[in-house]
Amino acid sequence: MNATSSMHRAPRIRKAVFPVAGLGTRFLPATKTVPKEMLPIVDRPLIQYAVDEAIAAGCDTLVFVTNRYKHAVADYFDKAYELEQRLEAGGKLDLLQRVREVLPDGVRAVFVTQPEARGLGHAVLCAQPVIGDEPFAVLLPDDLIWNRGGPGALAQMADLAQARRSSVIAVQPVPREQTGSYGIVATDTFDGRHGRIRGIVEKPDPAIAPSTLAVVGRYILDARIFELLERTAPGKGGEIQLTDAIAALLGEQPVEAYRFQGTRFDCGTHIGLVEATIRFALDHEAISEQARDAMARALAELGVADST
Ligand code: G1P
């Protein structure tokens, strides 16, 4: 296969991969029975935000890479006939609508299993039979990106991928002491929001990090990545790293780093999940005022701020 051929055949992405096979140990005991991706941000599970972002970017095939403990994710995206019938019979059309919006008509969910936890790169490789030979998106649901009133991060990236006919990786600047928690990219000159990547390294020590531009969990990748992943040896943490396969891709094709518009919440951490909950509650059509009052009361009671 020609290294860039798939880009030319299918310039707009249609398929999105959601690696959801992680154990979610940070959120134990909650995640003893509930997968991390099903933890709610106000009234919707975390995974729904990433799914909505992919659909808004034009994706109609959602590939969930799961493991045997994640039945709740598959159940959630399955059609709930009984529930829908009951809501309909009870005239609860608003709720019915919300349940149906979980997976809109015309969008399909496909589940593939990652039999062993061998890393993010391996999880993405598990999706290959469904993706085939076209460019595709990867969304890590832990990274919740909110661009209030504007296009989602993946839609922004899809525009750039199409314009440049290149793979695109979302980035944001982080404090240098945090480089060890992220993939870090080195770019040529940054033109406004994007720049061509010339190097990428997984979780470097701050002392040797090539920059402070961190990879956030959104990728648009050429299908060539699969062949490179097959050849990728275990890297950081003994896992097959997506970052290492992207480093190999750089030698063959252009890959752009894109600084998205929007706020990213790291919902893989307690504080990130709480902060996202606060922000979405404050902006929620039904409860925003009550959320403001509740927050002011809480701060006042703790003596942190005046409630007036
Ligand atoms: C993964 C990637 C890392 C990236 C991060 C973004 O790491 O390996 O390159 O910066 O997601 O959230 P993880 O957070 O799964 O350890």
Side-chain angles (χ1 to χ4, degrees):
M1 187 186 74
N2 175 307
T4 54
S5 60
S6 58
M7 277 291 174
H8 290 276
R9 274 201 301 279
R12 190 84 196 177
I13 45 149
R14 296 188 307 118
K15 296 179 180 172
V17 177
F18 302 84
V20 291
L23 292 175
T25 43
R26 256 197 213 160
F27 287 97
L28 283 170
T31 47
K32 199 175 154 207
T33 53
V34 180
K36 177 178 64 171
E37 296 78 15
M38 296 306 296
L39 296 177
I41 307 283
V42 188
D43 53 3
R44 296 170 344 127
L46 188 51
I47 185 81
Q48 185 77 57
Y49 292 84
V51 159
D52 288 353
E53 189 186 320
I55 294 170
C59 295
D60 62 9
T61 302
L62 314 179
V63 188
F64 298 91
V65 183
T66 63
N67 64 29
R68 79 192 79 116
Y69 305 107
K70 297 284 178 101
H71 296 297
V73 178
D75 291 347
Y76 177 72
F77 288 102
D78 202 358
K79 197 164 172 69
Y81 287 104
E82 250 191 75
L83 174 66
E84 290 194 17
Q85 270 171 11
R86 237 183 290 159
L87 292 174
E88 199 160 9
K92 298 192 168 151
L93 300 185
D94 180 41
L95 285 177
L96 179 65
Q97 170 76 5
R98 275 197 256 161
V99 168
R100 285 190 175 151
E101 277 169 4
V102 165
L103 196 68
D105 287 343
V107 179
R108 63 180 178 148
V110 181
F111 294 85
V112 299
T113 310
Q114 184 185 20
E116 289 172 86
R118 292 176 59 197
L120 177 60
H122 180 252
V124 170
L125 186 54
C126 291
Q128 181 178 26
V130 186
I131 302 297
D133 189 25
E134 57 184 284
F136 64 101
V138 177
L139 296 95
L140 309 186
D142 274 6
D143 283 328
L144 198 170
I145 303 178
W146 188 40
N147 188 26
R148 191 173 190 267
L154 193 69
Q156 298 169 40
M157 293 166 66
D159 287 345
L160 183 66
Q162 205 169 21
R164 295 260 155 170
R165 292 188 177 275
S166 71
S167 297
V168 176
I169 295 170
V171 295
Q172 73 172 21
V174 295
R176 183 161 277 275
E177 62 269 20
Q178 288 177 18
T179 59
S181 302
Y182 297 95
I184 298 291
V185 301
T187 60
D188 294 333
T189 49
F190 227 72
D191 168 20
R193 295 206 159 267
H194 61 95
R196 185 158 168 180
I197 301 179
R198 58 185 157 75
I200 183 167
V201 47
E202 181 69 3
K203 299 184 179 152
D205 196 86
I208 55 155
S211 81
T212 53
L213 264 187
V215 174
V216 171
R218 300 290 182 276
Y219 309 76
I220 293 178
L221 297 169
D222 189 273
R224 170 77 181 140
I225 199 78
F226 293 125
E227 283 166 53
L228 298 171
L229 277 168
E230 263 164 17
R231 288 189 222 151
T232 301
K236 197 98 191 174
E239 299 192 329
I240 296 175
Q241 296 292 348
L242 183 57
T243 297
D244 293 343
I246 294 170
L249 188 65
L250 295 179
E252 303 182 359
Q253 302 181 4
V255 182
E256 291 280 319
Y258 177 71
R259 202 163 50 79
F260 52 89
Q261 274 175 299
T263 307
R264 171 231 180 201
F265 301 100
D266 181 2
C267 294
T269 66
H270 295 148
I271 189 60
L273 192 77
V274 170
E275 192 182 353
T277 303
I278 292 172
R279 291 284 277 273
F280 279 85
L282 288 171
D283 203 49
H284 191 280
E285 51 178 7
I287 62 161
S288 66
E289 265 182 45
Q290 290 157 289
R292 265 159 232 252
D293 291 348
M295 238 152 280
R297 268 198 314 277
L299 291 172
E301 276 169 27
L302 292 169
V304 182
D306 199 316
S307 67
T308 51

